[in-house]
Amino acid sequence: MAILNITYGGLSADYQLELDARIPDADLKRIAVEVLRAGNVPGLHLPHVAENAFDDFVIDRLQNGQRIYLRPKVPFG
Amino acid sequence: MRIVICGVGALGSTAAVLCRNLEATLVLVDFDRVESKNLLAQAYVKQSVGKNKAEALKAQLLNFHGVKAEAVGVRLGKDNVEAICGAAELIVDCFDNAASRAVLSEFARAKGKPLLHAAVSGDGTFGLVRWDERFVADAEAKEGQATCEGGEHLPLLGLLGATIARTIQDFVKGGVRRDSMVGLAAVTPT
């Protein structure tokens, strides 16, 4: 069990993952698309989010993997 | 406290202006020059166009706010990081590329110096303020990706600059090391 925080379009929201927190990045990105489309992430309902919306995103696993952040790359300063 | 801010573009210049209340010596590091296109997203005024960014910001802090700072108008690299950051009690990374961020991380870890990173996404909707212990630099999604040159990203840059300044302030006052994510919803519309 872990909390998946998804950031998209400048907005962030949490989703309770009922899966092993060691799930691979690619699966996490696929799950994120599905739960966003289904409206299962309070405050972040994106019914038409693209299948590849998170291809260039980064996943941070913090707090021993209990907090997982799916976020855009931040290369600039 | 001696605080070295590496990179005074969009994030670094905005944060530095908001650090003017601190009882600290601000050292501003940037080799780049102010261009007119920077005026909408960075803390520079028209009179600074053409000047080195570190020198220009130093002059603005003194002339507008009466705050003395130091300027280092060179490109930071492995060969001069010790000279620039060796006396720092806090290093703040606001660079715009992974290679320069890596130089700072390597130096800070070797010397045991506190290093705070700040970074923003190319679309100007999201940013991170994160201490070095938990930071991994991101490469550009696409080489030559557009950066925050126009004014479109200014609101987010303002939020991010304020978050950097607050994080620095908390560290200066009590040694607190807080990470933050900054998005467009940091301020709730009512």
Side-chain angles (χ1 to χ4, degrees):
Chain A
M1 296 284 282
I3 302 290
L4 171 63
N5 179 273
I6 304 169
T7 297
Y8 188 83
L11 303 175
S12 292
D14 285 345
Y15 176 76
Q16 179 82 44
L17 268 181
E18 295 176 355
L19 296 166
D20 188 327
R22 292 168 294 184
I23 183 171
D25 287 3
D27 290 342
L28 274 174
K29 292 180 180 181
R30 182 176 50 77
I31 289 169
V33 170
E34 290 178 2
V35 296
L36 286 172
R37 285 178 174 175
N40 291 338
V41 186
L44 203 57
H45 183 43
L46 298 166
H48 306 298
V49 68
E51 193 76 37
N52 62 351
F54 299 114
D55 280 3
D56 286 330
F57 277 44
V58 174
I59 292 175
D60 297 323
R61 297 170 190 263
L62 304 180
Q63 298 178 21
N64 293 321
Q66 294 309 298
R67 293 286 304 187
I68 303 173
Y69 295 90
L70 174 59
R71 60 165 178 82
K73 287 184 177 176
V74 286
F76 301 112
Chain B
M1 178 175 283
R2 186 174 179 85
I3 303 172
V4 179
I5 301 177
C6 299
V8 284
L11 298 186
S13 66
T14 304
V17 170
L18 294 174
C19 285
R20 66 183 185 269
N21 61 325
L22 297 178
E23 290 183 17
T25 300
L26 299 180
V27 182
L28 315 167
V29 183
D30 206 308
F31 73 94
D32 202 5
R33 293 193 174 274
V34 180
E35 299 179 63
S36 56
K37 67 182 181 184
N38 298 144
L39 300 182
L40 291 178
Q42 303 183 18
Y44 297 102
V45 298
K46 194 175 175 184
Q47 289 77 4
S48 293
V49 171
K51 296 178 181 172
N52 170 265
K53 286 184 179 179
E55 294 289 349
L57 192 55
K58 172 187 170 183
Q60 289 182 199
L61 283 168
L62 182 62
N63 295 334
F64 297 156
H65 305 293
V67 172
K68 289 182 181 175
E70 297 178 20
V72 181
V74 302
R75 187 190 292 271
L76 186 142
K78 283 185 177 180
D79 56 334
N80 61 7
V81 64
E82 172 74 54
I84 294 170
C85 297
E89 291 161 276
L90 170 63
I91 304 170
V92 182
D93 161 31
C94 294
F95 279 140
D96 63 355
N97 67 88
S100 296
R101 293 183 190 278
V103 171
L104 287 179
S105 288
E106 188 178 332
F107 176 77
R109 289 170 192 177
K111 301 292 182 182
K113 290 187 181 290
L115 169 60
L116 178 68
H117 299 273
V120 64
S121 64
D123 65 358
T125 63
F126 176 74
L128 281 181
V129 179
R130 192 171 280 179
W131 289 89
D132 191 56
E133 302 90 293
R134 294 169 291 279
F135 182 81
V136 177
D138 296 339
E140 293 175 43
K142 300 160 193 164
E143 199 170 338
Q145 189 178 352
T147 56
C148 312
E149 290 174 352
E152 183 186 359
H153 304 336
L154 189 54
L156 189 277
L157 295 172
L159 290 173
L160 202 42
T163 304
I164 298 165
R166 178 56 193 261
T167 305
I168 293 171
Q169 181 172 300
D170 288 347
F171 178 79
V172 170
K173 286 189 174 175
V176 176
R177 300 190 187 200
R178 188 174 294 119
D179 294 340
S180 299
M181 296 196 319
V182 179
L184 296 175
V187 176
T188 304
T190 57

